[in-house]
Amino acid sequence: MNRIAAAVLIAFSGAAFAQAPAAVPAAPATIATASAAAYSLEADVTRAMKLFDVPGIAIAVVKDGKVVAAQGFGVRKLGAPEKVDAKTLFEVASNSKAFTAAALAMLVDEGKLAWDDPVTKHLPDFQMYDAYVTHEMTVRDLLTHRSGLGLGAGDLLWWPTTNFSTDEIIHKLRFIAPSTSFRSSYAYDNLLYIVAGKIIAAKSGKTWGETIHERILGPVGMTTTTTSLAENAGNPNVANAHSKIDGKIAAVKSMPVPNAVGAVGINTNAEDIARWMNVLLAGGSLGKDANGSEARLFSAKQAQEMWTAQTPMRISTPNPKLAGTKPHFAAYGLGFQLRDWQGKLMALHSGALQGFYSKVVLVPEAKLGIAILTNAESGGSINALQYQLVDHYLGTPNAPDWIGAVAAVENENHAKEQARLATTKAARAAKSQPSLARTAYDGDYQDPWYGIATIKHAGGKQILSFARTPDLTGELQHFQHDTFIVRWKERNFNADAYVTFALNPDGSIERMKMQPMSTETDFSYDFQDLNFTPVKKSQ
């Protein structure tokens, strides 16, 4: 998970609200922190923060319906004294997908839709690239990463922050070519969760955020959780985003994603996510209401459906140092990844946005839930703590030192990637020249789904900019032949890319293609999916 991403509900008619659970669980019982036991949660988290260069982490652990830990470590922002605590808000990105899945499950319970309804039944204008897929795509398919879209396809419509509307993003799905046939394989995507969020809003007559607050956050008691960065305004207890710039961790600006909330909209903290995990582990139960009756967010039937394998996932062989992490099965359910650990089912999900990584891990058989929230882009830190904490709270005998092992593997992989980049640079035809004068590459280029990108000279530099993504602008530097490198002005993106031009027989430019330079670039920078052609100038 060195690449992102890597992430609600329904306020329908008045009658629907009358049937919705109204019971709000009491605040968690007194938190028993790890310092009260022989095991030191603080020692593990502090060590991980140091090894993976993470400024702040919040941890929530629930077991058997009780909150075992909900606490913060480190600072909200480098260079500032404010500490992370149990109420500090973090962006949790794709961990929002579980909220969207739960919202749809509630609609299924209420008879407002069925999992296998065609999407077009609820969004008549919905259209994919292929007419057959458009006709056959179901609500279930929206959540299960089996649409035929490639990994992260179309994410540049919302990442980094764009000014496309949600409706524009959904409309542009019809222009994104698939990479595999429908339902043939797993490939993680975000755009179809945006569609799922749109269905929820359409059924409620309110925004995704409003319905999430009314139908999920309120009943669960997640009183400080928000559904947009705008809601965080005025709350000082918010974690700052951090990214690596030239290999050094630094505070950076957050990434608003108002057009992608169905996939990545939730901001939460340790206390609130502990409540959420307990509801999930209870199969959707909110406990007893004032009349002594069980109140539910969604039915036990839907809880089982969400944790039932829908799409098989390929299992790769890990580095020998991490051999014990290899599962016997891996699949995606509805808003959750499913796998086994120590012979038990595990439902989990990661979340990544610029400056934040998070993970939620649930072991239903053990009634164990662990949430790890960080204010840095460190997949290694959340994976290491996942393995370490799950083994501890499951009482796994002779458990390995997962924090040390993951750190060692991450360092090895990074060193290999740096060596590969150096070899590529050394092997280039350094003395080659572009086929055309540099100004001949200037102009507007259009991609079928993204739209316009522009190359122009400014201030003695040649600049590439994306029309609908204000921060996606950078200088073009010659690499070899007709390939350039765009070095983005926002250096925390860590997403510099090759830009290659193909020529027609008459020497004019036929197309412009892009490709990330590094395998460590987040997959949501899906430059490789773009196919730009020059926009012909009007006579």
Side-chain angles (χ1 to χ4, degrees):
M1 172 148 181
N2 60 342
R3 295 181 294 241
I4 235 178
V8 179
L9 236 64
I10 9 207
F12 309 73
S13 62
F17 280 118
Q19 297 168 5
V24 176
T30 302
I31 295 165
T33 63
S35 59
Y39 171 69
S40 175
L41 176 62
E42 182 176 5
D44 270 348
V45 176
T46 301
R47 181 177 172 224
M49 290 169 59
K50 182 177 181 180
L51 283 175
F52 297 99
D53 212 4
V54 178
I57 292 180
I59 299 287
V61 181
V62 298
K63 184 78 170 69
D64 299 320
K66 300 184 184 305
V67 179
V68 176
Q71 59 193 114
F73 307 86
V75 295
R76 302 176 208 164
K77 182 179 181 180
L78 276 178
E82 290 79 14
K83 303 292 186 182
V84 173
D85 61 29
K87 295 183 182 296
T88 303
L89 288 176
F90 290 77
E91 297 175 52
V92 297
S94 286
N95 279 302
S96 307
K97 289 179 168 66
F99 290 82
T100 293
L104 291 173
M106 293 167 70
L107 283 172
V108 174
D109 278 337
E110 294 166 355
K112 304 293 185 180
L113 57 76
W115 289 118
D116 296 314
D117 279 350
V119 174
T120 52
K121 178 178 179 179
H122 304 285
L123 297 178
D125 293 335
F126 173 78
Q127 185 176 327
M128 297 291 286
Y129 187 90
D130 184 274
Y132 172 79
V133 177
T134 300
H135 183 266
E136 294 296 319
M137 179 81 73
T138 66
V139 174
R140 185 190 306 274
D141 291 319
L142 295 176
L143 306 187
T144 52
H145 308 295
R146 62 189 187 190
S147 68
L149 292 173
L151 174 65
D155 278 357
L156 284 169
L157 292 169
W158 64 274
W159 164 298
T161 302
T162 72
N163 53 29
F164 290 109
S165 69
T166 296
D167 287 344
E168 285 180 300
I169 292 173
I170 294 172
H171 177 79
K172 286 176 176 291
L173 272 165
R174 68 195 63 192
F175 304 118
I176 303 177
S179 62
T180 66
S181 58
F182 185 45
R183 294 181 184 149
S184 66
S185 61
Y186 171 91
Y188 191 85
D189 80 82
N190 288 293
L191 297 196
L192 295 179
Y193 268 83
I194 296 174
V195 177
K198 177 67 176 181
I199 290 177
I200 291 165
K203 292 296 181 182
S204 71
K206 298 186 177 183
T207 67
W208 178 88
E210 289 170 338
T211 52
I212 290 297
H213 274 289
E214 293 186 49
R215 296 298 304 278
I216 293 183
L217 303 182
V220 173
M222 301 175 72
T223 57
T224 54
T225 295
T226 64
T227 58
S228 71
L229 290 184
E231 289 180 53
N232 295 347
N235 182 352
N237 198 356
V238 177
N240 199 92
H242 295 83
S243 301
K244 292 287 183 70
I245 300 177
D246 297 326
K248 186 176 181 180
I249 194 74
V252 299
K253 64 184 180 182
S254 292
M255 175 181 156
V257 286
N259 51 7
V261 290
V264 294
I266 295 290
N267 311 287
T268 192
N269 55 33
E271 284 190 358
D272 276 7
I273 208 162
R275 293 180 171 94
W276 175 235
M277 291 191 295
N278 269 333
V279 171
L280 292 172
L281 288 167
S285 174
L286 294 167
K288 302 292 185 180
D289 63 18
N291 299 319
S293 301
E294 183 184 39
R296 281 192 160 272
L297 201 62
F298 46 82
S299 66
K301 178 180 179 181
Q302 300 311 325
Q304 181 177 6
E305 193 73 20
M306 291 163 68
W307 289 351
T308 295
Q310 310 284 333
T311 306
M313 297 172 63
R314 186 177 298 276
I315 298 173
S316 59
T317 299
N319 183 293
K321 293 184 178 68
L322 301 176
T325 68
K326 185 176 180 179
H328 294 91
F329 90 95
Y332 202 89
L334 302 176
F336 292 91
Q337 180 186 339
L338 307 170
R339 57 159 294 166
D340 59 293
W341 185 269
Q342 306 297 342
K344 296 178 173 62
L345 172 68
M346 178 184 285
L348 69 161
H349 214 289
S350 300
L353 278 171
Q354 287 175 15
F356 293 94
Y357 271 25
S358 62
K359 182 162 278 191
V360 173
V361 183
L362 303 165
V363 186
E365 182 180 342
K367 293 184 171 53
L368 171 66
I370 296 170
I372 305 156
L373 316 178
T374 77
N375 59 359
E377 295 171 10
S378 171
S381 67
I382 60 173
N383 289 335
L385 285 170
Q386 170 195 332
Y387 305 144
Q388 194 88 355
L389 299 185
V390 169
D391 268 357
H392 168 71
Y393 287 104
L394 287 181
T396 303
N398 304 314
D401 171 21
W402 293 119
I403 296 175
V406 172
V409 171
E410 186 167 273
N411 289 337
E412 288 176 17
N413 291 341
H414 181 66
K416 289 177 181 177
E417 177 59 10
Q418 292 302 109
R420 187 193 67 81
L421 290 171
T423 298
T424 300
K425 181 179 179 180
R428 82 191 196 281
K431 296 182 179 180
S432 65
Q433 295 295 320
S435 298
L436 308 174
R438 289 292 292 266
T439 54
Y441 298 92
D442 288 356
D444 291 336
Y445 295 80
Q446 184 162 14
D447 172 77
W449 57 264
Y450 177 83
I452 299 294
T454 300
I455 298 175
K456 65 181 180 180
H457 277 74
K461 297 179 180 180
Q462 193 167 32
I463 305 299
L464 169 64
S465 59
F466 280 56
R468 305 295 296 273
T469 314
D471 287 338
L472 208 54
T473 179
E475 181 183 359
L476 282 180
Q477 299 175 356
H478 186 245
F479 182 69
Q480 65 178 350
H481 306 299
D482 288 323
T483 294
F484 299 79
I485 293 172
V486 58
R487 300 201 182 277
W488 304 112
K489 182 179 179 181
E490 296 286 344
R491 299 311 299 154
N492 62 287
F493 286 174
N494 294 302
D496 291 348
Y498 295 115
V499 180
T500 299
F501 297 86
L503 305 184
N504 291 307
D506 65 0
S508 61
I509 295 172
E510 178 193 15
R511 68 168 57 90
M512 177 178 76
K513 294 283 290 181
M514 298 179 67
Q515 179 180 323
M517 291 181 63
S518 174
T519 61
E520 294 179 334
T521 296
D522 193 288
F523 66 71
S524 285
Y525 291 101
D526 62 317
F527 300 124
Q528 70 282 352
D529 295 325
L530 299 166
N531 185 21
F532 286 109
T533 55
V535 176
K536 294 182 179 180
K537 298 179 181 178
S538 58
Q539 299 297 323

